[in-house]
Amino acid sequence: MVPLVLGIETSCDETGIGIVRDGVLLADAVASSVDQHARFGGVVPEVASRAHLEAMVPTVQRALATAGVALRDLDAVAVTSGPGLAGALLVGVAAAKAYALALDVPLYGVNHLAAHVAVDVLEHGPLPEPAIALLVSGGHSSLLLVEDVTRTLQPLGQTVDDAAGEAFDKVARLLGLGFPGGPAVDRQARDGDPAAIAFPRSMLADPSYDVSFSGLKTAVARWLEKHEGQVPVADVCASFQEAVVDVLTAKAVRACRDHGIDHLLVGGGVAANSRLRALAEERCAQAGIRLRVPRPGQCTDNGAMVAALGDRLVAAGIAPSPLDLPADSAMPVELVVA
Ligand code: KG4
Ligand code: ZN
């Protein structure tokens, strides 16, 4: 019998429940509390935790109904145990323990970043390993070397200040575009000129694989102050977005070249960005690198990614986590299973 794996994701503001069997996605139910955070301009941890608690059981039930399976059919439970918001993670980890204990099935506490990488198998089949992964979201911006997603991810570089998605959210806020800002900036940028304003490409020339977006955000703020009252929103969005994706794609392609690796995987919420997808496609084609990016709905946080990784872990015979598994808000990326 091929194992049926439940995945639970609660590291931020999405309660995600996925069900996967042998690399096939059977259900992906998401309840988002994003509307409750909008007026604060960012995710409020306490509000997110409470929303997870309320959404957990109904979302699990919705996923089971979609997959046409019952709780007793599950063979393993995987849950994001870090990194993320401590209180939010705790709700998912507690629920996963309860399900695993009640059903007497193994529990896997998994790394959120590894799950963002693993989700791609659902759409594009087995991961090409080794691969370089560029993970960009509201909480992280990392370049990783992936030799075996079930064992460890090797960090090559990360942001030294703001995450890429955080920069999108902050710039959107400066422009009064609402929260989350990424999709709004992406939409506005379509009608703008990416070369209209020469925003800085921080750390582009730096030999490390690290990135930095705080200076860019400040440059946008200064520009807006200076041009108050006559701001071409579409041009600001397009020029800011171009600066972000220029640096990200340049560093990702360089990481592939330096390591002699011809597969690049892009994931995380910012991978939903249309310009990042287009420029990555263009630069990878030029460099002879094969690009894999999940469809936008699977780039943002969801339960399918956790179930997809759980499914790989079970198949690889990786030992499960103990039932006293903690939620680890600072879980290191090298650790795939806690
Ligand atoms: O992966 P994710 O859903 O949650 C985290 O783990 O953070 O990523 C959310 C982030 C937010 O900052 C959001 O603004 C950004 O991803 N985002 C985008 C787009 N869609 C979502 N950023 C740029 N362009 C988009 N189309
Ligand atoms: Zn994420």
Side-chain angles (χ1 to χ4, degrees):
M1 249 304 276
V2 187
L4 186 67
V5 182
L6 180 77
I8 301 180
E9 156 61 39
T10 64
S11 68
C12 193
D13 58 344
E14 258 98 36
T15 312
I17 306 295
I19 300 177
V20 169
R21 175 183 272 145
D22 198 21
V24 178
L25 180 64
L26 303 181
D28 182 17
V30 179
S32 177
S33 62
V34 68
D35 294 345
Q36 297 177 49
H37 307 290
R39 69 190 173 102
F40 301 105
V43 176
V44 183
E46 280 307 311
V47 174
S49 306
R50 179 160 295 274
H52 286 311
L53 203 53
E54 284 166 2
M56 182 58 63
V57 172
T59 312
V60 169
Q61 279 167 350
R62 193 147 54 84
L64 291 168
T66 304
V69 299
L71 268 177
R72 65 174 175 280
D73 298 328
L74 296 172
D75 297 297
V77 176
V79 60
T80 301
S81 61
L85 303 171
L89 287 168
L90 259 177
V91 178
V93 169
K97 285 179 183 176
Y99 284 120
L101 186 66
L103 298 168
D104 192 22
V105 297
L107 169 72
Y108 291 87
V110 306
N111 192 302
H112 182 79
L113 276 71
H116 268 304
V117 172
V119 72
D120 193 59
V121 304
L122 300 176
E123 217 175 323
H124 301 121
L127 287 182
E129 289 167 331
I132 297 290
L134 170 66
L135 290 189
V136 275
S137 75
H140 24 254
S141 299
S142 307
L143 263 170
L144 307 159
L145 172 59
V146 186
E147 294 202 49
D148 180 349
V149 76
T150 66
R151 299 199 175 265
T152 187
L153 303 186
Q154 190 186 322
L156 301 177
Q158 62 221 322
T159 178
V160 298
D161 40 54
D162 293 352
E166 203 178 341
F168 271 94
D169 294 336
K170 286 177 175 170
V171 165
R173 197 174 180 182
L174 290 171
L175 290 166
L177 295 178
F179 176 82
V185 170
D186 193 350
R187 234 175 290 120
Q188 287 283 342
R190 275 177 209 159
D191 304 318
D193 175 6
I197 309 159
F199 286 129
R201 267 67 168 161
S202 309
M203 297 189 78
L204 181 58
D206 186 272
S208 77
Y209 300 112
D210 289 340
V211 291
S212 160
F213 297 113
S214 164
L216 172 59
K217 170 200 66 192
T218 308
V220 175
R222 293 241 170 83
W223 197 93
L224 293 177
E225 271 164 33
K226 220 165 121 192
H227 297 81
E228 213 182 336
Q230 37 173 339
V231 173
V233 175
D235 285 347
V236 174
C237 287
S239 301
F240 156 77
Q241 177 175 275
E242 197 65 19
V244 174
V245 307
D246 183 12
V247 176
L248 289 175
T249 52
K251 293 232 168 183
V253 167
R254 183 156 61 75
C256 288
R257 278 213 189 107
D258 292 353
H259 292 82
I261 289 175
D262 58 4
H263 279 95
L264 175 66
L265 244 147
V266 186
V270 181
N273 184 268
S274 59
R275 182 59 186 148
L276 175 60
R277 299 171 82 94
L279 191 59
E281 189 75 59
E282 195 182 309
R283 289 187 169 169
C284 283
Q286 274 165 10
I289 296 165
R290 275 195 233 150
L291 176 69
R292 295 194 17 170
V293 196
R295 60 180 163 80
Q298 286 189 348
C299 289
T300 46
D301 290 350
N302 60 75
M305 65 194 221
V306 182
L309 179 55
D311 177 59
R312 293 295 86 210
L313 293 168
V314 173
I318 304 291
S321 308
L323 266 181
D324 63 354
L325 165 79
D328 180 359
S329 60
M331 187 168 177
V333 63
E334 291 91 339
L335 196 63
V336 171
V337 181

